[in-house]
Amino acid sequence: MTRKKVKLAFIVNDAARKATYKKRKKGLMKKVDELTTLCGIEACAIVYSPYDSQPEVWPSPWGVQKALAKFRTMPELEQSKKMVNQETFLKQRILKAKEQVKKQNKDNREKEMTLLMLQCLSAGKLLHDNLTMVDLNDLAWLIDQNLKDVDRRLETMNKNSHMTPSQAQMIAPVAKNEYMTPVDHGHGFDMNVDTMQKQWFMDLINNNGDETMPFGDVNLQNGFCPNPLLP
Amino acid sequence: MTRKKVKLAFIVNDAARKATYKKRKKGLMKKVDELTTLCGIEACAIVYSPYDSQPEVWPSPWGVQKALAKFRTMPELEQSKKMVNQETFLKQRILKAKEQVKKQNKDNREKEMTLLMLQCLSAGKLLHDNLTMVDLNDLAWLIDQNLKDVDRRLETMNKNSHMTPSQAQMIAPVAKNEYMTPVDHGHGFDMNVDTMQKQWFMDLINNNGDETMPFGDVNLQNGFCPNPLLP
DNA sequence: CTGTCTATCTATAAATC
DNA sequence: TGATTTATAGATAGACA
């Protein structure tokens, strides 16, 4: 039942490797078949393995010979060109993979920070003794993002509902403009950048985490709690 | 969004064909790559198309040359053997496809019969004027299957529950052994085969379908209903 | 070894930018 | 032309017969 994503590496287990070989060779053959049929082109595949005494070819030895003949008509220079193309392709794939890893890490980071923020809200304090400055900076950024979101919603409410601005403010009193300034994120931690705009955050990390939270006005006024997960 | 299952045939639309070609060539290349990596073998693919001035090869022209050299070392006889193998392979695929069609038809038939049976239960009568003898035979088989299932459940109950056999019988009184005899299914309709064992069914189709159903004991004692779908 | 089954993972048709 | 997105078709790992 395909427990996990198969990692692209040599399969050590002999039986599993052979089983995979059989299945995938069949699948590959089918793909070649489909490509030629769907697109009306010529193609062939050659597989040489210890499981078969001879190379296995598709769609037929004749087809292979034909394709090969064409390939051989290529001047050496052209063949080299193709080779370079192949190399370029691999480089592109590597680059793309790296980009994906980068994006994945970014997403993971954001999720971590969301979790951390929620834990902080639950505990009523920041457990910053275990956090690095980078963590705190990222957390600050995330919270700012959330605050901006709250602010946007507030504006929408003020414009579209029958609620007065002051009533709306009472629902989310922390969403004050002084906290809305964009944070210069992604360039490492810098205590000197935007410090004044993140006053609430600075206040927080300069104390010991067991006093009023920036969100205290909402429902955690006296937020300290012996059980870190139960407000 | 892959609206439909792509039928395996030449794509007439030029743009679509080219797009498919690009995608699938890439996919094929990836597959070759994976096969070689996972199974530690040598393989290559050659694609010759009007979209590229030269044949496209994987993993590299060198690899292709290597694989080809091996192929060329095969005696003509062996090459022919391989060719025959290819033909055999295609025949096997055709055979398999036919078997799948057959199985599919069988499944469809069974579903049709299930639906029919339920409709009959709902209507409280068999609308047999619109049914062929083959239909009725299949329906009889299906009902027998269901009765066998009921019987099996009854036995389980008698063995494992605190219920007495008679109590169990009251729940599903139709599951009497006289109806449990296996039906010789799949050889066409034959009024002379198993007729006695399917007495209830014969009774049913020899009348006009507006009287007691074989399942009448359960909850359709006086099953006729003006609305065919509402008991 | 070959086929089957099922839960997942992967490929990709179409639409859109 | 190529990249991205989304929903579906297809491939296949692992277990079993």
Side-chain angles (χ1 to χ4, degrees), chain A residues 14-33:
Chain A
D14 286 359
R17 187 171 66 255
K18 186 168 183 178
T20 291
Y21 171 77
K22 293 252 171 192
K23 283 183 178 179
R24 279 177 176 256
K25 178 161 65 65
K26 194 173 158 189
L28 181 65
M29 161 175 57
K30 187 154 173 275
K31 287 287 184 187
V32 174
D33 223 47

Side-chain angles (χ1 to χ4, degrees), chain A residues 142-230:
Chain A
L142 181 66
I143 294 174
D144 270 328
Q145 292 300 117
N146 284 308
L147 286 174
K148 282 178 198 168
D149 188 46
V150 170
D151 193 47
R152 274 192 293 275
R153 293 187 192 200
L154 262 182
E155 286 185 11
T156 304
M157 286 172 69
N158 290 345
K159 283 178 188 166
N160 302 331
S161 76
H162 300 300
M163 209 177 268
T164 67
S166 64
Q167 282 176 317
Q169 288 283 325
M170 287 178 68
I171 293 176
V174 298
K176 295 172 187 170
N177 284 332
E178 60 185 289
Y179 296 150
M180 293 300 106
T181 308
V183 175
D184 179 30
H185 185 66
H187 297 87
F189 188 72
D190 184 349
M191 291 290 282
N192 298 319
V193 174
D194 290 321
T195 301
M196 296 311 291
Q197 290 83 354
K198 290 191 291 180
Q199 194 56 51
W200 62 265
F201 190 69
M202 290 301 115
D203 288 345
L204 192 69
I205 59 177
N206 286 331
N207 287 305
N208 270 323
D210 56 357
E211 68 299 293
T212 309
M213 286 282 290
F215 303 103
D217 290 342
V218 182
N219 58 12
L220 291 170
Q221 191 86 48
N222 298 302
F224 182 75
C225 175
N227 181 334
L229 291 178
L230 294 177

Side-chain angles (χ1 to χ4, degrees), chain A residues 6-11 17 20-21 24-26 28-35 37-51 54-62 64-65 67-72 74 78-79 82-83 86 89-90 93 96, chain B residues 6-11 17 20-21 24-26 28-35 37-51 54-62 64-65 67-72 74 78-79 82-83 86 89-90 93 96:
Chain A
V6 177
K7 68 173 182 178
L8 197 58
F10 182 75
I11 298 169
R17 187 171 66 255
T20 291
Y21 171 77
R24 279 177 176 256
K25 178 161 65 65
K26 194 173 158 189
L28 181 65
M29 161 175 57
K30 187 154 173 275
K31 287 287 184 187
V32 174
D33 223 47
E34 291 177 351
L35 181 62
T37 303
L38 290 170
C39 304
I41 60 156
E42 287 174 33
C44 80
I46 302 174
V47 178
Y48 188 77
S49 77
Y51 310 114
Q54 308 139 32
E56 312 225 5
V57 299
W58 293 274
S60 74
W62 288 341
V64 174
Q65 301 278 10
L68 279 177
K70 283 192 174 165
F71 176 67
R72 287 184 185 285
M74 269 198 279
E78 294 303 313
Q79 292 187 18
K82 268 296 155 191
M83 215 154 47
Q86 168 64 8
F89 168 75
L90 284 177
R93 269 190 56 185
K96 197 167 181 182
Chain B
V6 177
K7 68 173 181 178
L8 197 58
F10 182 76
I11 299 170
R17 188 171 65 256
T20 291
Y21 169 78
R24 281 179 176 256
K25 179 161 64 65
K26 192 173 158 190
L28 181 65
M29 159 176 59
K30 187 156 173 271
K31 287 287 183 189
V32 174
D33 222 48
E34 291 177 350
L35 182 61
T37 302
L38 290 170
C39 304
I41 59 156
E42 286 173 33
C44 79
I46 302 173
V47 178
Y48 188 77
S49 78
Y51 309 113
Q54 309 139 33
E56 311 226 5
V57 298
W58 294 272
S60 73
W62 289 340
V64 174
Q65 301 279 11
L68 279 175
K70 282 191 176 166
F71 177 67
R72 286 186 186 284
M74 270 199 280
E78 294 302 313
Q79 293 188 19
K82 268 296 158 194
M83 216 154 44
Q86 169 63 8
F89 169 75
L90 284 177
R93 269 191 55 182
K96 196 167 180 181

